[in-house]
Amino acid sequence: MRRSLPFRRLTPAEKRLVAAYPTGEWVDVRPEGDRVTRPKDASPPDDDQTTDHEEHRRAGRVREAWARLNETGRADVNADRPAGRVRETWARLSENRRAEVNGDRPARRVREAWAYVNRNGPADRERVVRAEVIRALLLGARPGLPGQVAAIRLIGARVVGDLDLAGAELTTTLHLIECQVGGVIDLVEAQTRALRLRDCDLLRLRAGRVRVDGVLDIGGCVVHDGIRLDNAHVSGQLRMSGCEIGSPAHWTLKEAGWAGNRYTGDPREQEQQHTALWAGGLVVEGGAFLRGMTVTGGLRLHGARFNGGLWLQHTEITATGRYAVHGDYLQATVVNMGSGFSAEGEISLRGARISGTLSLDGARLKSEKLAVHTRHLDVGEFLLTPESIEGGVDLGYTRVGLLADRPESYPGAVRLNGLVYESLRSPATLRDRLSWLTRHPDGYRPQPYEQLAAYYRRIGHEHDSRRVLLAKQRARRRTLTVAGRAWGVLLDAVVGYGFRPWLAAAWLSAVLTAGTVVFSLVPPVQIGLDERPRHFNPFVYTLDHLVPVSLFEQRAAWEPTGWTIWVANALIASGWILATALIAGGTRVLRPASTAP
């Protein structure tokens, strides 16, 4: 052992691991009562073949392991239980982000608490494996056997220290099942084959710019201080279903992997303290299964690409900052955040490109400001039908093939300027849609009205289209000057801005009837005598006043007297107004239909 590994002493678990490494056999170091028979060379089940119940059960096994440690932990001279010491340290860090009087860094104190548990776990001493032993094996300290596939397959171990594999090129696989890793797993800029960390309890996984040739499986793990996968590339699937992830709220930039001895870090990266999964620029060729997770912090997926889709059903996210899901400029075939998905914080997908479906069907969303922000999103089908939603919705400049929604999908402010859709699927009535258009926090915007009217015209609902355009003119009127508003009220009352030309006919009939009655009771006086006798007709006389150009020669032959002069002048003015309104109405009705917004 001493010749093949640079260590003087090995623990019993390490000896078994070193002996099994050349053949890649499983090494199960759990107590006899906790073991489950595993066939030789068996691998954990695939994520897409497991049920949600199984995912929750895996995470539950980790919690049960902690419960057993709490019950069996041996007390030291101060009568403190090891696991209790860890929880107390975490509680102090959660209540007060500053270090205590001794000046220790919070993250360092967490690692020291983990080291204490590793040193003093009474029933777990036979399970201790140092991270440096695993690192040495993976980097070729002991060669594999001819005809065998070397690998580390470890079950139930307690890994002590930081597993530093940054920049390494690994040709063997690493499988850790139900292990407790007290330090940071560092895979920054590494290249490796399939990596599985199933049902483990981890402090932090740091794997920025890693290249995984196969599956990256972290299913069922508890990760206390978050995961970093920025600009990573996974050629297979990403499996994180059933994980419980916290955010590195107490880490400095250097401890989190953003800074070094010469580079102090970018202060803008302090946002990572509110991010449980930092995966900007991540590329996953297969499906990304993040179902059933419990996340404290946010998911940063800025610029990530999921060629096999992103699946987040039954995941609960409690944001500690602004974003629950920060997926700006994300690219995916499918993004499913429905069926049990819950988020406290903003869902931001600005500039994203989703060729298939974006689903929020059955989700529970809550945010103080914007609950859903999809400005400049391009998506084939958008199911905006959450179970409950609190907060505003910004769909500005979004392009949607099919938008499925409900009136209750918009409980707060709605930004629709620039939204373009080909089809709507909703139980919403026209009244609901008009209310939808009037809730922009900045007031009147013409484009949403034009888009909705174009949609109704395209499906053959011309009457509804005219009602939408009429509502647009009425909303626009509120932005005009006093004179403009007065003229708008007049046009609206007379012909409904040209979209209700039948109103002009009604007004014409009413004015014509009134004039006929007046001039029947108070006939005008004939101006001159002609060779031919003339007969006065009050109906024709009133009509001659209403028509802008005299056609019946009644107006020139008869002159009103007394107060009927004002009636005659009013008839002339009404005629001009009605004629103008009828021309405007005829122009709107007869103009060519357009399907463009």
Side-chain angles (χ1 to χ4, degrees):
M1 295 297 180
R2 294 181 182 178
R3 295 181 180 179
S4 59
L5 289 175
F7 304 108
R8 291 184 178 274
R9 297 177 181 177
L10 295 177
T11 67
E14 291 172 346
K15 291 179 181 179
R16 294 179 57 189
L17 179 64
V18 172
Y21 171 76
T23 59
E25 294 182 357
W26 287 96
V27 177
D28 192 343
V29 297
R30 294 174 298 176
E32 292 294 335
D34 295 339
R35 295 188 182 183
V36 178
T37 303
R38 180 184 296 274
K40 183 178 180 180
D41 298 331
S43 60
D46 292 338
D47 184 273
D48 51 359
Q49 296 176 354
T50 59
T51 63
D52 294 334
H53 175 71
E54 292 171 340
E55 293 164 358
H56 288 291
R57 186 176 60 188
R58 288 196 300 268
R61 288 204 300 268
V62 177
R63 290 191 291 270
E64 291 173 2
W66 269 104
R68 287 194 299 271
L69 180 59
N70 293 336
E71 295 173 359
T72 61
R74 180 181 300 170
D76 62 7
V77 294
N78 296 322
D80 291 332
R81 287 188 174 180
R85 293 278 300 273
V86 176
R87 286 199 307 274
E88 290 172 4
T89 301
W90 271 102
R92 286 196 299 270
L93 294 179
S94 300
E95 295 172 0
N96 185 4
R97 294 188 178 184
R98 298 181 180 178
E100 294 185 355
V101 182
N102 55 15
D104 292 338
R105 289 182 176 178
R108 184 182 303 280
R109 298 193 58 197
V110 173
R111 287 198 295 271
E112 291 175 356
W114 267 97
Y116 177 85
V117 176
N118 292 335
R119 289 195 304 268
N120 296 278
D124 298 334
R125 292 179 179 177
E126 301 297 320
R127 302 165 56 188
V128 172
V129 176
R130 286 169 290 178
E132 52 189 339
V133 175
I134 297 177
R135 180 179 185 274
L137 290 173
L138 291 174
L139 296 181
R142 186 177 185 189
L145 297 178
Q148 301 288 338
V149 178
I152 289 182
R153 295 187 171 96
L154 189 58
I155 305 175
R158 299 172 57 80
V159 181
V160 180
D162 294 339
L163 181 56
D164 186 2
L165 297 170
E169 295 184 8
L170 307 180
T171 58
T172 58
T173 57
L174 173 63
H175 292 184
L176 300 180
I177 311 297
E178 297 185 17
C179 294
Q180 297 176 13
V181 183
V184 177
I185 299 179
D186 194 341
L187 292 166
V188 174
E189 296 183 348
Q191 297 184 22
T192 180
R193 298 173 63 183
L195 178 65
R196 285 186 171 90
L197 307 174
R198 277 280 188 173
D199 302 331
C200 294
D201 197 300
L202 312 176
L203 178 62
R204 178 168 171 80
L205 174 61
R206 193 163 61 205
R209 301 177 297 283
V210 70
R211 296 293 182 267
V212 180
D213 185 12
V215 175
L216 176 57
D217 189 350
I218 323 173
C221 289
V222 177
V223 188
H224 297 280
D225 284 345
I227 300 174
R228 175 181 167 188
L229 288 174
D230 52 295
N231 297 300
H233 187 280
V234 181
S235 63
Q237 296 178 345
L238 173 63
R239 302 173 182 171
M240 296 179 60
S241 296
C243 283
E244 298 180 21
I245 311 176
S247 57
H250 313 293
W251 289 70
T252 65
L253 290 178
K254 183 176 180 179
E255 291 167 331
W258 291 108
N261 294 329
R262 297 183 179 180
Y263 173 60
T264 59
D266 190 338
R268 292 175 296 180
E269 290 165 347
Q270 291 290 351
E271 182 185 348
Q272 60 110 17
Q273 294 183 342
H274 299 290
T275 305
L277 174 61
W278 186 287
L282 169 67
V283 178
V284 181
E285 301 295 345
F289 299 97
L290 282 69
R291 302 187 182 113
M293 297 197 308
T294 301
V295 181
T296 302
L299 305 183
R300 181 181 172 88
L301 307 174
H302 200 282
R305 188 169 79 242
F306 301 98
N307 296 333
L310 175 62
W311 311 87
L312 286 158
Q313 301 98 312
H314 301 287
T315 289
E316 298 181 4
I317 303 176
T318 304
T320 58
R322 173 181 175 182
Y323 298 104
V325 178
H326 193 186
D328 294 357
Y329 308 105
L330 174 149
Q331 298 181 40
T333 52
V334 175
V335 175
N336 192 332
M337 291 186 282
S339 183
F341 176 81
S342 174
E344 293 186 15
E346 181 177 326
I347 306 295
S348 178
L349 295 171
R350 294 177 295 177
R353 298 290 180 269
I354 302 172
S355 59
T357 301
L358 169 60
S359 175
L360 291 172
D361 183 35
R364 298 185 301 275
L365 309 177
K366 181 179 180 180
S367 178
E368 294 181 359
K369 295 182 180 179
L370 285 178
V372 179
H373 192 181
T374 64
R375 187 171 290 263
H376 295 286
L377 168 70
D378 192 342
V379 60
E381 183 179 15
F382 189 7
L383 306 182
L384 186 56
T385 52
E387 177 182 323
S388 64
I389 179 171
E390 298 180 24
V393 177
D394 189 344
L395 304 179
Y397 302 98
T398 296
R399 300 185 66 86
V400 187
L402 169 65
L403 175 61
D405 61 357
R406 294 190 292 260
E408 53 270 24
S409 300
Y410 311 97
V414 186
R415 291 176 172 86
L416 301 173
N417 194 37
L419 171 64
V420 177
Y421 44 85
E422 297 180 6
S423 182
L424 295 173
R425 187 175 69 205
S426 173
T429 63
L430 179 60
R431 183 186 299 273
D432 295 326
R433 289 298 179 194
L434 293 179
S435 173
W436 184 46
L437 301 180
T438 59
R439 291 157 62 188
H440 195 289
D442 298 328
Y444 167 73
R445 292 292 185 272
Q447 189 274 339
Y449 290 91
E450 294 288 346
Q451 170 63 39
L452 183 60
Y455 164 71
Y456 281 128
R457 188 182 308 120
R458 191 164 56 246
I459 64 175
H461 295 185
E462 189 66 33
H463 176 68
D464 291 339
S465 176
R466 288 196 298 269
R467 290 181 61 185
V468 172
L469 293 176
L470 175 59
K472 171 195 169 186
Q473 294 296 333
R474 290 172 174 172
R476 175 179 174 272
R477 185 173 68 209
R478 291 190 286 270
T479 66
L480 302 177
T481 61
V482 175
R485 292 180 191 177
W487 176 247
V489 171
L490 181 61
L491 286 180
D492 190 4
V494 174
V495 288
Y497 284 99
F499 297 105
R500 293 180 174 178
W502 56 268
L503 281 177
W507 280 106
L508 178 63
S509 299
V511 173
L512 186 59
T513 301
T516 302
V517 172
V518 169
F519 291 115
S520 297
L521 298 176
V522 185
V525 178
Q526 189 173 3
I527 297 177
L529 296 176
D530 298 332
E531 305 113 8
R532 53 180 184 159
R534 285 184 175 272
H535 176 71
F536 174 74
N537 188 319
F539 176 80
V540 177
Y541 183 74
T542 303
L543 183 61
D544 208 13
H545 279 79
L546 288 173
V547 177
V549 179
S550 179
L551 298 177
F552 305 104
E553 300 181 357
Q554 289 279 316
R555 191 193 307 177
W558 305 89
E559 182 175 353
T561 61
W563 58 273
T564 59
I565 296 176
W566 294 101
V567 176
N569 293 334
L571 290 173
I572 295 173
S574 299
W576 280 103
I577 294 174
L578 288 172
T580 303
L582 283 172
I583 292 173
T587 303
R588 291 184 185 275
V589 171
L590 298 177
R591 68 179 178 179
S594 173
T595 59

